[in-house]
């Protein structure tokens, strides 16, 4: 039983530590990342009919190989999910079920499900290729920046949702105004409000395809205000995410520094404290190298040079004892 637990912990470290882990972990992560990129490249190349028909068998075999690898990885992650800092080791079945319904697990499932579903249901090849593109989302496992972005996106979802609602309202209102103003002058272009919505979207996002443009003075005058308004409204979600991204990084680092400070109150970090700090850094997406730098930085901040009153020599002393 103990050997199985040790093996499970080793497999967990290989799968979860990614490029910040051991040599084996880095090699495995590199292999999966390259496999994902090759899968996406194969899907793109296969869509070109002459090549797709000529190398149909090769593409099929490569897809089968990829699905086998991704399936083994998927079930391995379910098995080792008990080792996660967020799981309850006393209830492994409950922890695994919880992991099954987590976003990262569902992404892994979506990466392999289309292949197996194609044996049960007749899926159009175009849609099958589109679903296989979801394998790109698996990169979230191997790049912590993507995890941080997803966390920020999830936290800011209400604010972003509000910004999207405001944009939708402005698009509909501007489309309605332009339809009322331009319907008679340009009935072939502004023949309905849905048609005007296309113009409104490309105008507010400042894309401006040029296929739908007002020709009258009033139409152009209204378009000026809509374009200026669109610059601010469309940029709002991006600005919110950028600000929150920086705040989240700062908050995570401060949390880790507080944990290190608590552990170093007695001057040393015990094995239990080291494990707790490593688990915290892993859970908040901070690499092992960043953790080591944070500990060294805190140690430097906790010590300073003082002059001895008796001999006049400089000695190193802890700030806590001064």
């Amino acid at each position: 039983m103990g050997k199985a637990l040790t093996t499970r912990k080793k497999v967990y470290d290989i799968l979860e530590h990614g490029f910040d882990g051991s040599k084996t972990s880095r090699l495995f992560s590199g292999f999966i990342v390259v496999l994902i990129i090759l899968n996406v490249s194969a899907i793109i190349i296969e869509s070109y009919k002459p090549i797709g028909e000529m190398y149909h068998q090769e593409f099929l075999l490569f897809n089968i190989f990829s699905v086998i690898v991704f399936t083994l990885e998927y079930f391995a992650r379910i098995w080792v999910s008990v080792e996660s800092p967020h799981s309850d080791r006393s209830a492994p079945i409950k922890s695994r079920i919880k992991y099954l319904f987590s976003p990262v697990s569902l992404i892994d499932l979506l990466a392999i499900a289309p292949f197996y579903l194609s044996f049960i249901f007749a899926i159009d090849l175009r849609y099958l290729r589109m679903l296989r593109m979801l394998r790109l989302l698996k990169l979230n496992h191997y790049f912590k920046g993507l995890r941080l972005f997803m966390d920020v996106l999830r936290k800011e979802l209400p604010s972003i949702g509000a910004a999207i609602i405001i944009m939708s309202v402005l698009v509909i209102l501007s489309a309605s105004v332009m339809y009322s103003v331009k319907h008679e002058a340009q009935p072939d272009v502004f023949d309905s409000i849905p048609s005007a919505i296309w113009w409104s979207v490309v105008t507010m996002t400042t894309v401006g395809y040029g296929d739908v443009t007002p020709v009258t003075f009033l139409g152009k005058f209204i378009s000026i205000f809509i374009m200026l308004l669109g610059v601010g409204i469309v940029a709002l979600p991006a600005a919110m995410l950028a600000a929150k991204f920086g705040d989240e990084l700062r908050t995570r680092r401060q949390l880790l520094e507080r944990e290190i400070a608590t552990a170093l109150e007695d001057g040393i970090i015990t094995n239990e404290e080291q494990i707790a700090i490593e688990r915290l850094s892993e859970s908040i997406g901070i690499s092992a190298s960043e953790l080591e730098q944070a500990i060294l930085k805190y140690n430097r901040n906790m010590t300073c040079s003082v002059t001895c009153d008796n001999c006049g020599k400089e000695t190193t002393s802890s700030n806590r004892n001064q």
Side-chain angles (χ1 to χ4, degrees):
M1 184 67 179
K3 186 177 180 181
L5 291 175
T6 304
T7 304
R8 190 176 69 190
K9 182 65 171 65
K10 289 180 179 178
V11 175
Y12 174 82
D13 291 339
I14 292 172
L15 290 175
E16 294 296 332
H17 287 174
F19 294 107
D20 296 319
S22 63
K23 183 179 180 180
T24 305
S25 178
R26 294 195 298 272
L27 287 173
F28 177 79
S29 299
F31 168 70
I32 296 294
V33 169
V34 170
L35 186 60
I36 293 170
I37 295 172
L38 289 176
N39 263 264
V40 175
S41 301
I43 295 168
I44 295 171
I45 296 171
E46 189 184 6
S47 65
Y48 183 59
K49 195 172 181 180
I51 297 178
E53 291 178 350
M54 183 181 299
Y55 298 100
H56 173 73
Q57 190 67 23
E58 287 78 2
F59 281 122
L60 179 61
L61 290 174
F62 177 67
N63 185 41
I64 292 172
F65 168 75
S66 301
V67 169
I68 292 173
V69 173
F70 292 147
T71 301
L72 291 174
E73 182 203 12
Y74 173 67
F75 284 108
R77 287 186 182 279
I78 294 173
W79 178 52
V80 303
S81 60
V82 182
E83 298 292 333
S84 171
H86 303 290
S87 67
D88 183 5
R89 295 188 183 182
S90 61
I93 296 177
K94 183 180 178 181
S95 297
R96 290 188 176 105
I97 292 174
K98 182 180 177 181
Y99 175 80
L100 274 172
F101 293 97
S102 65
V104 290
S105 177
L106 292 175
I107 287 172
D108 288 342
L109 181 61
L110 286 172
I112 59 175
F115 176 82
Y116 297 109
L117 289 175
S118 63
F119 292 105
I120 304 173
F121 307 103
I123 304 177
D124 190 296
L125 184 60
R126 292 170 300 175
Y127 298 116
L128 187 60
R129 284 176 182 153
M130 182 184 68
L131 292 172
R132 282 166 58 192
M133 280 292 189
L134 293 174
R135 291 173 188 175
L136 269 173
L137 298 176
K138 286 176 63 64
L139 292 173
N140 182 61
H141 283 297
Y142 305 99
F143 297 98
K144 288 183 171 62
L146 292 177
R147 298 186 197 179
L148 178 59
F149 178 78
M150 294 302 293
D151 290 341
V152 171
L153 189 63
R154 185 173 60 252
K155 290 179 180 179
E156 289 298 297
L157 202 56
S159 301
I160 294 173
I164 291 173
I165 291 173
I166 293 172
M167 286 173 57
S168 301
V169 170
L170 290 174
V171 164
I172 293 171
L173 288 176
S174 60
S176 301
V177 170
M178 287 303 291
Y179 168 73
S180 302
V181 173
K182 297 298 300 172
H183 175 61
E184 293 184 2
Q186 294 174 269
D188 55 330
V189 175
F190 296 95
D191 61 330
S192 64
I193 292 178
S195 298
I197 285 176
W198 166 257
W199 169 87
S200 181
V201 169
V202 298
T203 301
M204 289 195 69
T205 55
T206 68
V207 176
Y209 284 109
D211 56 340
V212 179
T213 56
V215 294
T216 63
F217 172 78
L218 182 59
K220 292 180 179 179
F221 185 75
I222 296 173
S223 299
I224 290 173
F225 287 98
I226 292 174
M227 284 188 283
L228 292 174
L229 183 63
V231 170
I233 297 297
V234 174
L236 183 60
M240 291 166 55
L241 280 176
K244 189 61 180 178
F245 196 85
D247 291 342
E248 186 71 15
L249 274 174
R250 189 160 46 252
T251 301
R252 291 188 178 197
R253 294 183 187 280
Q254 289 174 351
L255 179 63
L256 183 62
E257 288 175 0
R258 284 198 296 269
E259 186 70 20
I260 294 172
T262 302
L264 282 171
E265 283 182 350
D266 56 357
I268 59 171
I269 299 179
T270 63
N271 289 334
E272 292 79 9
E273 290 171 337
Q274 181 69 26
I275 292 172
I277 290 173
E278 288 176 355
R279 286 184 174 178
L280 174 62
S281 65
E282 179 184 334
S283 66
I284 62 180
I286 293 177
S287 66
S289 58
E290 288 178 311
L291 172 61
E292 185 179 352
Q293 290 175 2
I295 293 175
L296 290 174
K297 178 182 176 182
Y298 188 81
N299 273 328
R300 285 197 297 268
N301 291 338
M302 293 299 293
T303 58
C304 65
S305 295
V306 296
T307 302
C308 177
D309 293 334
N310 296 324
C311 62
K313 293 182 179 181
E314 287 190 350
T315 58
T316 301
S317 174
S318 169
N319 287 343
R320 293 187 300 270
N321 298 326
Q322 294 182 42

